[in-house]
Amino acid sequence: MKKVLITGSLGQIGSELTERLRKDLGVKNVISTDIRTIEGSPVVENGQFEELDVTNYDQFLDIAKRYEVDTVIHLAALLSATAEKRPAFAWNLNMTGLMNALEVAREIGPETKFFAPSSIAAYGPDAEPDNTPQDTVMHPTTMYGVTKVSGELLENYYHTKYGVDTRSVRFPGLISYKVEPGGGTTDYAVDIYYEALKNKSYTSFIEKGTYMDMMYMDDAIEGIVKLMNADASRLEHRNSFNITAMSFEPEQIAASIRRRIPDFKLSYDVDPARQGIANSWPNSIDDSDARKEWDFSPSFDLDKMTDEMLERLSAKFK
Ligand code: AKB
């Protein structure tokens, strides 16, 4: 991984990955792209940035060739709740975008390194809900999940057929303070920290007792970097590794917040659409293969993440 093209760079993961890779590889070796420009964003202002619509293959290939990249990190995608509202659009963006990214990787060099995330959404309601194994039935019932499981298969295909060095993880809900996520089912676990600081209360659209896997963004970024630098000979799996840092339900994150804001109140106004999506996902996944094959080891648990989120957000609001 020497010169990297990142798609979806202005998103929740992309903005933090851009910052990290600029530090690791040098500003000249990171080409951040997104469908739009946001004036004033550090991603746009502090390094190389190009507008790119990932469904436009020619534009995608032109940027990859012009900068002579050896790695493609493809993050542009629609998340679960939005994808459920606009399934045809989601299929086109998530699958045409991924297919173009893989074709660009194949075209620029046979051993191009490639990363595109999958998600806990790749599982469906018939998978074991607790400690869901890495390798088991995958019958997602959401459009987002359908694109994720199809994406995993496509990435394996490009690896075995063309030798593209594809690697991937199934991300849980990601929690961060720099850029807010948009259109996900796990977003409640980010919103809750904003509202705790602003109003000392939060109304959750996810029902009490609903467990989902989660992870603090620092661990997610570290995970991507570690997997991309992992020795290929150790990887028995590729697309895609389960990774998780914690599994909790709304009452538990509320209790964690109350350690710092004792009068914090949690109430519920459940959104049937997003609750239905959450119900179709695992409660907790087994990530022992990632730990064994490339030493994945997250460092944030729920309380440590809560402390960090509340501290960072209070500084941001000042
Ligand atoms: C979502 O909620 O859609 C995402 C995910 C778990 O992939 N955060």
Side-chain angles (χ1 to χ4, degrees):
M1 190 164 66
K2 292 195 182 87
K3 199 161 196 183
V4 184
L5 188 161
I6 307 174
T7 72
S9 301
L10 290 168
Q12 191 198 12
I13 306 174
S15 53
E16 301 215 22
L17 188 64
T18 291
E19 197 182 316
R20 167 67 186 265
L21 292 182
R22 280 177 181 165
K23 274 194 201 125
D24 286 6
L25 306 175
V27 172
K28 282 211 166 77
N29 293 318
V30 181
I31 294 83
S32 298
T33 71
D34 206 292
I35 194 158
R36 68 205 193 283
T37 300
I38 300 180
E39 298 301 328
S41 156
V43 171
V44 176
E45 306 293 330
N46 301 345
Q48 307 184 83
F49 180 84
E50 295 273 351
E51 279 190 20
L52 167 63
D53 172 357
V54 294
T55 63
N56 182 333
Y57 176 72
D58 293 338
Q59 197 187 17
F60 206 152
L61 185 62
D62 171 60
I63 295 174
K65 279 192 166 164
R66 200 155 21 97
Y67 286 94
E68 299 180 323
V69 299
D70 67 3
T71 303
V72 176
I73 297 189
H74 177 57
L75 303 174
L78 225 56
L79 294 184
S80 57
T82 315
E84 225 36 39
K85 284 186 197 145
R86 303 180 67 192
F89 180 74
W91 174 266
N92 186 42
L93 175 60
N94 291 10
M95 296 315 298
T96 307
L98 177 62
M99 189 69 187
N100 284 346
L102 285 163
E103 271 297 302
V104 165
R106 182 178 73 83
E107 180 68 31
I108 60 177
E111 282 166 24
T112 304
K113 284 200 159 198
F114 187 93
F115 178 88
S118 183
S119 161
I120 51 171
Y123 291 111
D126 56 351
E128 297 90 315
D130 299 305
N131 211 24
T132 314
Q134 168 75 40
D135 303 308
T136 187
V137 287
M138 303 194 78
H139 300 136
T141 50
T142 63
M143 177 49 84
Y144 178 63
V146 168
T147 66
K148 287 297 171 191
V149 90
S150 309
E152 290 187 16
L153 295 172
L154 207 50
E155 286 163 63
N156 276 335
Y157 178 82
Y158 271 75
H159 174 60
T160 51
K161 176 103 179 176
Y162 299 117
V164 178
D165 189 355
T166 59
R167 302 177 184 204
S168 174
V169 296
R170 293 184 189 129
F171 273 133
L174 297 181
I175 290 148
S176 65
Y177 66 91
K178 286 187 186 159
V179 172
E180 286 184 64
T185 302
T186 55
D187 294 4
Y188 91 90
V190 178
D191 301 344
I192 197 169
Y193 290 115
Y194 281 80
E195 294 303 314
L197 284 169
K198 280 190 210 148
N199 304 318
K200 293 189 179 180
S201 68
Y202 179 65
T203 305
S204 174
F205 58 78
I206 291 296
E207 181 62 290
K208 186 183 198 157
T210 309
Y211 282 84
M212 286 185 275
D213 284 287
M214 303 280 177
M215 184 180 292
Y216 189 55
M217 185 59 83
D218 286 20
D219 284 329
I221 299 295
E222 190 57 40
I224 297 175
V225 172
K226 212 170 201 178
L227 175 59
M228 293 309 276
N229 290 329
D231 179 353
S233 67
R234 283 184 66 197
L235 303 180
E236 283 168 39
H237 295 85
R238 267 183 179 261
N239 306 293
S240 173
F241 283 95
N242 281 0
I243 59 168
T244 185
M246 61 195 97
S247 166
F248 57 74
E249 56 100 14
E251 292 295 324
Q252 289 172 318
I253 188 168
S256 182
I257 291 171
R258 277 189 204 108
R259 290 174 311 115
R260 293 297 192 101
I261 306 173
D263 48 349
F264 173 70
K265 286 193 178 53
L266 177 62
S267 55
Y268 294 89
D269 181 11
V270 174
D271 170 18
R274 284 177 287 187
Q275 184 62 40
I277 296 173
N279 290 345
S280 76
W281 292 352
N283 300 329
S284 64
I285 56 172
D286 171 16
D287 65 0
S288 50
D289 286 317
R291 291 171 189 262
K292 193 175 85 201
E293 293 175 37
W294 50 279
D295 308 317
F296 174 68
S297 140
S299 57
F300 284 81
D301 62 13
L302 177 56
D303 287 343
K304 187 172 169 193
M305 177 175 82
T306 297
D307 293 346
E308 178 90 356
M309 281 296 286
L310 294 177
E311 221 163 275
R312 299 287 188 165
L313 283 176
S314 334
K316 198 171 159 180
F317 292 157
K318 267 184 196 149

